[in-house]
Amino acid sequence: MRSAPKINLKTWALTIDGEVENPKKLSWNDFLRLSIVESVSDFHCVEGWSVLDCRWKGVRFRDIVGLVKPLKKAKYVLFECADGYATSFALEELLGDDMLLAYELNGRELEVGLGSPVRLVVPSKYAYKSAMWVTGIRFTMEKMLGYWEKRGYSDTADVWKNDRFLR
Ligand SMILES: Nc1nc2c(c(=O)[nH]1)N[C@H]1C(S)=C(S)[C@@H](COP(=O)(O)O)O[C@H]1N2
Ligand SMILES: [Mo]
């Protein structure tokens, strides 16, 4: 885990690009104008702990998809973070109701140490897939491996299949 980056909301931007019809660069205010939902889910770490009933508030990833309109050839999504961290998914894995770009947890704005202003929440995957301090979302044709995935952690990271490390 790298240390939390200093982020100024006045200059913060979320860049969404790659294989999409409508690339976007959202300011903090643009982001808050997207449709906001709440979603309660559990959070599982690959090291064995879980946090149950997290009440996240944010924007559904699916709505981001609707905004930028990925091209047919976009099959994967890479999340890039202000601290240099990255992780990626198959696009189809991110379309569920509880995949959020979250900015609040249990009624309070995220603290910097929890990924503020925006972190990804993907409850079906181990926590290393939940990118904090997200500043870039890139739709790609090819799979791009993330930080831990390059270092031997499972790329699928499915909590229910116990996909922790490459086997
Ligand atoms: N940007 C960024 N996101 C990150 C990480 C990181 O180092 N940088 N660490 C990951 C790992 S390994 C874990 S276990 C979770 C920790 O999230 P938590 O502190 O909210 O439990 O964040 C994930 N997201
Ligand atoms: Mo982790």
Side-chain angles (χ1 to χ4, degrees):
M1 179 85 60
R2 259 74 62 76
S3 53
K6 280 210 170 63
I7 292 175
N8 177 350
L9 280 185
K10 291 205 180 86
T11 54
W12 179 89
L14 178 60
T15 303
I16 313 167
D17 61 9
E19 307 293 346
V20 298
E21 237 172 74
N22 286 321
K24 292 274 177 194
K25 189 165 177 181
L26 303 177
S27 69
W28 180 239
N29 284 331
D30 296 336
F31 181 79
L32 292 180
R33 274 195 290 270
L34 300 175
S35 119
I36 304 295
V37 297
E38 279 199 345
S39 169
V40 177
S41 56
D42 301 336
F43 196 56
H44 306 278
C45 179
V46 71
E47 287 171 353
W49 49 265
S50 296
V51 186
L52 304 182
D53 289 330
C54 302
R55 185 160 48 88
W56 300 101
K57 186 170 168 183
V59 175
R60 275 204 182 104
F61 186 76
R62 206 167 58 210
D63 290 344
I64 300 284
V65 169
L67 187 69
V68 299
K69 302 194 175 26
L71 302 173
K72 264 218 170 66
K73 59 186 175 183
K75 298 286 185 244
Y76 299 95
V77 187
L78 178 72
F79 290 81
E80 295 171 299
C81 310
D83 63 338
Y85 194 79
T87 192
S88 69
F89 301 81
L91 172 55
E92 65 199 13
E93 297 177 316
L94 293 171
L95 303 177
D97 283 351
D98 52 4
M99 317 305 182
L100 299 194
L101 287 166
Y103 65 92
E104 260 189 45
L105 173 60
N106 299 329
R108 296 175 49 199
E109 259 179 35
L110 287 183
E111 288 162 30
V112 163
L114 284 177
S116 86
V118 170
R119 81 175 296 162
L120 180 67
V121 176
V122 179
S124 57
K125 304 277 187 183
Y126 283 120
Y128 62 91
K129 288 286 188 179
S130 286
M132 303 190 278
W133 313 301
V134 174
T135 51
I137 302 176
R138 188 150 30 113
F139 290 78
T140 61
M141 292 193 288
E142 312 282 342
K143 177 84 191 179
M144 317 278 282
L145 285 184
Y147 180 86
W148 284 117
E149 293 87 338
K150 281 184 189 160
R151 289 160 176 79
Y153 280 74
S154 161
D155 185 46
T156 49
D158 189 310
V159 170
W160 308 117
K161 296 189 189 139
N162 227 356
D163 293 342
R164 292 160 191 260
F165 305 100
L166 287 182
R167 279 169 288 182

